[in-house]
Amino acid sequence: MADAAARRADLAGIRSLAHLPLPLLAVPLGLGGLGLAWRQAGVAWLGEPLMALTALAWLLILALHAGRAWRHPEAALADWRNPMRCGFVGAASIGMMLTAAALLPHAPEAARALLIPAVLLHLAIGLSLLARVLRGEGGAAMLVPPLMIPLVGNVLAPLFLVPLGLPMLGWMLFGVGMLLWLGLQPLLLGRLFEAALPPPLRPSLAILLAPSAVGALAVDALGGPLPAFLALYGLAAFTFALLLMVLRHMLGAGFTLGYWGFTFPLAAFTTATMKIAPGLIGWGMLGLATLAIGAIALATLRLALNGALLRPH
């Protein structure tokens, strides 16, 4: 009995909100991306509940991280200063954009009231990280795929700004995101020529799919030329095929929250595919994305129920 009590005490000591992982902020991105894909398919009875779940997940995870920052500021600051994890902070503002997207068909004014602060927050995060680089405080260790989240994530905003009657702001954010992507992508590839990513970070290679896939959707939303959409979609399809070739390498470390790096890029590529191939291919991609994101969500829920999200990682 004494041994069992000691083990419980040890476990209680290990579990702490201080250990809440920053990549958990990517959960609403995967759920929201999948919800948008089902909206694109015209299946409201599945798309709308997924978008509602996105909003709930964003609120819950953001509240948990706010509580962590309040109770354990040193742990939150350590994540912000960590060159390989800091990019995940940008997922908070993208989750806010997707929450606004959940409201868009039902309460446009509420969506606008949430979307504009989300855009400003996302820009502030990206500017802060780039200012760190300009001050010489960055280092090559920052060159990992999650850095694309705060710097390139601006390309998502036009999808929701255009329906709100703000295409000019959409074009400006599209320019920010795409031009930063064109500058960042060669640096990331150069870093990968030097050395492979650590195993826990390898699933984040899937983020390389997001800029071209979301960029294609943004061009379509902004009414841009068809050749630009096709060029970006072609690059997305090429990147998707490349990721399939290295999938075993990416998943070699076993399940981690880094698997959420797969979810939003896969969902965005699925939505773009349904625009260009709305038949069997598009529905097949939608089925694949739903199964993959559903499996990752269930595995994450299992970790949460086991208390693993509050243990050192």
Side-chain angles (χ1 to χ4, degrees), residues 145-163:
L147 188 60
M148 283 193 171
I149 298 173
L151 299 188
V152 187
N154 297 287
V155 297
L156 179 65
L159 275 67
F160 317 128
L161 288 168
V162 171

Side-chain angles (χ1 to χ4, degrees), residues 17-20 68-69 72-81 85:
L17 196 61
H19 304 312
L20 188 73
R68 179 191 187 226
H72 306 281
E74 71 291 340
L77 281 173
D79 275 339
W80 174 244
R81 292 167 179 161
R85 289 200 297 269

Side-chain angles (χ1 to χ4, degrees), residues 20-297:
L20 188 73
L22 199 59
L24 200 63
L25 288 166
V27 171
L29 277 61
L31 297 175
L34 185 60
L36 291 175
W38 279 104
R39 268 188 184 175
Q40 172 65 30
V43 185
W45 63 266
L46 187 52
E48 295 312 308
L50 279 169
M51 295 306 295
L53 183 60
T54 298
L56 290 173
W58 176 72
L59 286 169
L60 174 61
I61 295 168
L62 193 67
L64 287 171
H65 273 285
R68 179 191 187 226
W70 177 261
R71 294 180 59 185
H72 306 281
E74 71 291 340
L77 281 173
D79 275 339
W80 174 244
R81 292 167 179 161
N82 185 292
M84 291 190 178
R85 289 200 297 269
C86 60
F88 283 108
V89 175
S93 47
I94 293 183
M96 193 174 179
M97 291 185 204
L98 290 166
T99 299
L103 295 170
L104 188 55
H106 313 290
E109 290 306 315
R112 180 195 291 259
L114 193 59
L115 183 60
I116 300 304
V119 166
L120 294 175
L121 176 60
H122 196 77
L123 287 170
I125 294 169
L127 286 167
S128 297
L129 290 174
L130 283 176
R132 183 186 302 182
V133 173
L134 293 184
R135 290 194 299 265
E137 301 168 4
M142 286 182 70
L143 288 174
V144 289
L147 188 60
M148 283 193 171
I149 298 173
L151 299 188
V152 187
N154 297 287
V155 297
L156 179 65
L159 275 67
F160 317 128
L161 288 168
V162 171
L164 291 172
L166 298 168
M168 291 180 64
L169 180 57
W171 274 113
M172 287 189 284
L173 291 169
F174 176 80
V176 171
M178 293 302 286
L179 291 173
L180 285 175
W181 170 49
L182 292 175
L184 184 58
Q185 180 100 335
L187 296 175
L188 285 173
L189 291 176
R191 183 247 191 268
L192 292 171
F193 272 111
E194 295 291 330
L197 292 175
L201 262 180
R202 287 176 191 169
S204 71
L205 287 168
I207 297 172
L208 297 175
L209 174 62
S212 51
V214 179
L217 293 173
V219 167
D220 180 70
L222 290 163
L226 179 62
F229 172 84
L230 293 175
L232 286 166
Y233 180 80
L235 179 57
F238 177 87
T239 306
F240 180 71
L242 176 62
L243 293 174
L244 288 178
M245 293 178 67
V246 297
L247 190 61
R248 186 174 179 181
H249 168 77
M250 294 166 66
L251 305 183
F255 182 76
T256 68
L257 288 179
Y259 275 44
W260 282 98
F262 280 94
T263 58
F264 183 74
L266 177 60
F269 180 65
T270 295
T271 304
T273 299
M274 294 195 75
K275 286 184 175 291
I276 201 169
L280 185 61
I281 294 175
W283 282 100
M285 278 298 307
L286 184 56
L288 172 66
T290 303
L291 288 173
I293 294 171
I296 292 169

